Amino acid sequence: MPELLDPYPHVFMDRPTKVANSMRKTVAVMEGASEIADITNRDEMGHLVCEVFGDDGFPLSIHFVMFLPAIQGQADDEQAEEWVHKAIQLQFIGTYAQTELGHGTNLRALETTATYDKNTQEFVLNTPTVSAYKWWPGNLGKTANVVVANAQLYIDGKNYGPHNFFVRIRDEETHQPMPGITVGDIGPKFGLNTNDNGFLKFDHVRIPRRSMLMRHSKISPEGTYSPPVHPKLSYGAMIFVRATMIRMLAHSLLKASTIAIRYSCIRKQGEITPGAGEVKILDYQTQQHRLFTAMARGFAYWLVGQEIKQIYERIAEDVKQGNVDQLADLHALLSGMKSVVSFDAGKGIEQCRMACGGHGYSHASGLPEIYAVEVAGCTYEGENMVMLQQQARYLVKGVQKLAKGEELTSMLKYLGNNSNRRFRFAEAGSKIEDTLIQAMEYIARTTIQRVSARLDSLKESGLSDEDAWNENAVELTRASRTHTRLWIAVCFKDRVNRIQDPKIRAALQDILHLHLCYEVIDMSQYLLEGGYATGAQIAQVKDVLYKLLAKIRPNAVSYVDAYEVSDTELRSVLGRRDGNVYDNLLKWAQSNPLNNVEVLPAVEKHLMPMMKNAKSKL
């Protein structure tokens, strides 16, 4: 379907052209998707969207990833019957408007208000200050005509906290803003410039009482408020996005690894043996170390993301049945995962870019766009430092429960395992993964226990709970990271060892062991500080890592090829599957619109007169 393709590389398009081209392709996808994909399969449709739109934005992304899950999960049956089918059929396009110009992660401080008017049985939505403008929602600027808006609920002057409301912001026939609505695009960004992230102001906009999403929180016509059975239930859309993000971030890291590893087999630079001729840069151990460890993290995050998807679906089904027992566990896990994976994936992608030398800096590599899109994940859906501290509160509560003799959840049971006190790497043999995971367990357990004890000590010194927490915040975030990395390692190991095909399992076990060695080395100061391991033992882990690099080297391209990212989706000259890089770099450069004319009008108008004037002065 040629209508799904860009007429020329989209990095050469100006922003209005990018947006228009994206909307054109959106219609082609939605009209023709059933011919090439199972439109009921979320993964297949996600793959199709990646092929067609790449990394720079899909006009319906927030509609399907946040808006639709919000109304499916938070609307009551009657509301869902009215809205969900229409949303699926695209009778309207929605987005999720939560973040404001002045507040993001701190939902309690959001300023947008929804005041209930008992006389008319309506909510009055208002943006009281400039900092209360909704700011950043994807596809809000020019695409969406309805939103799920997050606002502080007021009844008889009492604030009941942030709640979600279904609001029409543009006329369905004309697409013009509705009365009282000010809406627009926030402008160019670091990346995702096809996406029309927007701003939104409500000027005393009235909506019916039944426009509040009422599956969990309810308000009667008389203004009686019924709270949800669990406060985190209203965050369902965010939890879904965080669960989805892990695989998205892993996908970005694996794409970057694919580009860099393929190119490193094409690029030759220098000699290892004098006189033997130039070698492929992938033959250098430094190149292997930066790229294979990034690839290993990519596979780890991808497989763990699959596991999280299943966990989320199971718990979401439990919540529908009224069982919220595991909701706090899921919220804590996703807070830590979102932070660790987004940050480490961003570092890995940047390593891939630098590993491609000067050509990696060009948009022809595809890497700048992958990086710009991925690192946005460090701040959207919760700023990373805040997310780590949210999980840290969960961890501290676990230590407190342990001290009281209360039962811990399966995710925290390792906190009570004090028998693991010494590194026995030399005895590990084929069970190297168990030894390394035990070391990571020791790191997480002792770090969490230490920061919890420090928190108690600060409180005993006279600090308030809030001040003690702030004085301990850096250490708390470190504890959160160690816990998250442990969980990733355990889950990665379990997923790999469940693979039935022995050849595939053996190949991924090499990647698993590389990942575990890299993580333990990266956190080795904790092992040394606690006397759990010696410097000589850490050196042993390094030796194993270097042997794994050499073992993986002959099959490196096969690993990334097996992930099966198409050239269409990669949009990378450096990462072409056929390896024909240099001819196509030249063709890519020649397709630049600046090269459509030999002499630019601006050169004739400005530079040539300047040079002519300079000569006349000689």
Side-chain angles (χ1 to χ4, degrees):
M1 298 177 68
E3 61 270 27
L4 297 180
L5 303 177
D6 295 323
Y8 56 94
H10 80 285
V11 295
F12 293 140
M13 299 178 187
D14 62 22
R15 189 150 183 260
T17 304
K18 281 185 178 182
V19 172
N21 181 54
S22 181
M23 291 182 176
R24 174 192 65 79
K25 290 193 295 183
T26 295
V27 174
V29 165
M30 302 316 295
E31 289 181 349
S34 59
E35 300 176 18
I36 51 180
D38 178 1
I39 60 175
T40 65
N41 185 306
R42 184 184 295 273
D43 289 336
E44 276 201 32
M45 286 302 295
H47 176 70
L48 176 59
V49 166
C50 287
E51 290 279 337
V52 175
F53 295 92
D55 288 295
D56 206 40
F58 171 43
L60 301 179
S61 59
I62 306 301
H63 176 89
F64 286 117
V65 175
M66 289 202 74
F67 172 79
L68 184 56
I71 58 177
Q72 287 174 321
Q74 297 181 45
D76 63 26
D77 291 343
E78 181 182 331
Q79 292 171 323
E81 184 176 354
E82 178 182 357
W83 297 328
V84 171
H85 180 72
K86 293 177 181 178
I88 293 173
Q89 295 296 316
L90 294 176
Q91 294 182 32
F92 49 69
I93 297 173
T95 187
Y96 188 81
Q98 176 174 289
T99 299
E100 296 176 355
L101 187 55
H103 290 93
T105 306
N106 186 6
L107 300 186
R108 295 179 182 177
L110 294 179
E111 297 179 80
T112 304
T113 59
T115 304
Y116 186 61
D117 184 341
K118 295 179 184 179
N119 295 325
T120 62
Q121 296 184 20
E122 293 175 312
F123 291 102
V124 181
L125 269 70
N126 193 47
T127 303
T129 65
V130 171
S131 58
Y133 269 69
K134 294 298 180 185
W135 198 272
W136 278 113
N139 311 128
L140 170 65
K142 294 296 177 182
T143 303
N145 52 5
V146 300
V147 301
V148 168
N150 200 271
Q152 303 286 355
L153 170 62
Y154 281 88
I155 306 172
D156 294 331
K158 180 179 178 180
N159 183 0
Y160 288 85
H163 288 67
N164 285 322
F165 300 85
F166 183 96
V167 189
R168 297 185 182 277
I169 61 169
R170 287 187 170 96
D171 185 272
E172 290 187 11
E173 299 298 324
T174 67
H175 208 64
Q176 292 291 329
M178 298 289 284
I181 296 292
T182 301
V183 62
D185 180 270
I186 65 171
K189 307 169 292 290
F190 189 55
L192 286 166
N193 282 304
T194 298
N195 201 325
D196 55 323
N197 296 80
F199 60 80
L200 174 65
K201 175 189 177 182
F202 300 106
D203 186 0
H204 298 89
V205 174
R206 288 183 171 267
I207 59 174
R209 176 183 67 90
R210 292 286 297 160
S211 291
M212 186 177 99
L213 275 59
M214 291 197 191
R215 176 173 292 277
H216 305 300
S217 303
K218 304 181 189 301
I219 181 168
S220 71
E222 299 76 26
T224 301
Y225 177 74
S226 302
V229 294
H230 193 288
K232 293 290 189 293
L233 285 172
S234 61
Y235 301 162
M238 286 190 298
I239 291 176
F240 173 79
V241 172
R242 288 174 192 163
T244 304
M245 278 181 70
I246 308 307
R247 290 191 302 158
M248 291 168 54
L249 297 166
H251 185 59
S252 294
L253 181 52
L254 285 169
K255 285 197 300 183
S257 300
T258 298
I259 293 167
I261 289 173
R262 285 178 178 172
Y263 176 64
S264 294
C265 287
I266 299 301
R267 183 71 172 186
K268 293 184 178 182
Q269 191 82 20
E271 297 179 339
I272 293 177
T273 303
E278 286 195 306
V279 299
K280 297 175 180 179
I281 59 175
L282 198 58
D283 290 334
Y284 290 105
Q285 189 186 67
T286 52
Q287 191 80 343
Q288 295 167 14
H289 185 258
R290 72 203 312 191
L291 295 183
F292 296 172
T293 53
M295 175 180 68
R297 273 183 166 168
F299 279 119
Y301 299 158
W302 175 257
L303 289 174
V304 171
Q306 298 278 31
E307 187 76 13
I308 285 177
K309 178 187 176 210
Q310 295 173 11
I311 293 172
Y312 170 83
E313 290 171 349
R314 185 181 70 248
I315 293 177
E317 193 59 39
D318 289 344
V319 168
K320 286 182 182 179
Q321 306 304 319
N323 180 3
V324 295
D325 292 346
Q326 293 184 292
L327 196 58
D329 291 349
L330 178 64
H331 182 262
L333 172 63
L334 289 175
S335 294
M337 285 290 295
K338 182 266 179 194
S339 177
V340 168
V341 173
S342 63
F343 184 76
D344 286 346
K347 288 197 302 181
I349 293 167
E350 176 65 351
Q351 283 294 310
C352 289
R353 183 194 67 78
M354 290 190 288
C356 291
H359 291 324
Y361 194 67
S362 167
H363 270 296
S365 71
L367 293 166
E369 187 167 86
I370 293 174
Y371 178 75
V373 170
E374 193 282 338
V375 294
C378 292
T379 46
Y380 71 72
E381 294 313 308
E383 194 278 329
N384 277 359
M385 289 298 146
V386 176
M387 294 295 96
L388 289 170
Q389 290 182 71
Q390 285 186 1
Q391 180 171 253
R393 293 186 188 280
Y394 169 82
L395 299 175
V396 169
K397 288 178 182 177
V399 173
Q400 293 169 347
K401 286 183 177 181
L402 183 65
K404 296 175 183 176
E406 298 177 13
E407 186 176 355
L408 298 177
T409 64
S410 59
M411 199 177 297
L412 295 180
K413 283 191 180 298
Y414 73 92
L415 291 177
N417 177 21
N418 288 311
S419 62
N420 174 26
R421 297 182 179 179
R422 183 179 299 176
F423 197 52
R424 293 184 173 86
F425 185 76
E427 303 171 18
S430 62
K431 292 295 183 180
I432 182 175
E433 57 202 49
D434 293 331
T435 302
L436 295 173
I437 285 176
Q438 286 171 7
M440 295 178 70
E441 182 181 290
Y442 168 85
I443 292 169
R445 182 180 66 253
T446 55
T447 304
I448 294 165
Q449 290 173 342
R450 184 175 65 253
V451 299
S452 296
R454 186 170 187 267
L455 189 63
D456 291 338
S457 177
L458 288 169
K459 292 177 184 177
E460 290 169 3
S461 71
L463 292 181
S464 66
D465 288 356
E466 295 77 14
D467 286 341
W469 185 274
N470 190 47
E471 286 291 320
N472 207 29
V474 172
E475 296 302 321
L476 285 160
T477 61
R478 287 174 176 162
S480 192
R481 287 191 196 94
T482 62
H483 170 79
T484 302
R485 287 184 171 185
L486 169 63
W487 196 89
I488 291 169
V490 172
C491 186
F492 188 22
K493 172 197 166 187
D494 291 343
R495 293 284 300 197
V496 168
N497 290 331
R498 291 205 304 266
I499 294 172
Q500 296 297 312
D501 188 309
K503 292 182 179 179
I504 296 175
R505 185 172 63 250
L508 280 175
Q509 279 174 335
D510 287 339
I511 299 297
L512 167 64
H513 295 165
L514 177 65
H515 176 74
L516 295 177
C517 286
Y518 184 71
E519 294 293 300
V520 167
I521 292 167
D522 193 48
M523 297 189 290
S524 59
Q525 78 272 17
Y526 296 107
L527 301 175
L528 297 170
E529 288 171 0
Y532 182 85
T534 65
Q537 288 173 320
I538 300 303
Q540 283 183 297
V541 180
K542 291 180 180 179
D543 287 340
V544 172
L545 183 144
Y546 300 144
K547 290 175 183 176
L548 285 166
L549 295 179
K551 185 179 181 181
I552 290 167
R553 166 63 186 95
N555 300 309
V557 173
S558 297
Y559 276 112
V560 293
D561 282 358
Y563 186 63
E564 292 189 327
V565 184
S566 71
D567 283 357
T568 301
E569 181 181 347
L570 278 182
R571 287 163 167 77
S572 170
V573 180
L574 302 192
R576 294 172 59 94
R577 184 179 286 265
D578 64 10
N580 190 10
V581 171
Y582 298 128
D583 287 346
N584 285 287
L585 270 175
L586 178 59
K587 291 177 182 177
W588 187 89
Q590 290 171 333
S591 68
N592 180 353
L594 282 177
N595 294 320
N596 289 343
V597 295
E598 288 297 333
V599 181
L600 293 176
V603 171
E604 289 186 299
K605 182 176 181 181
H606 301 293
L607 300 185
M608 290 177 67
M610 178 191 71
M611 291 184 286
K612 184 177 180 180
N613 185 50
K615 288 180 181 179
S616 69
K617 294 179 180 179
L618 294 177

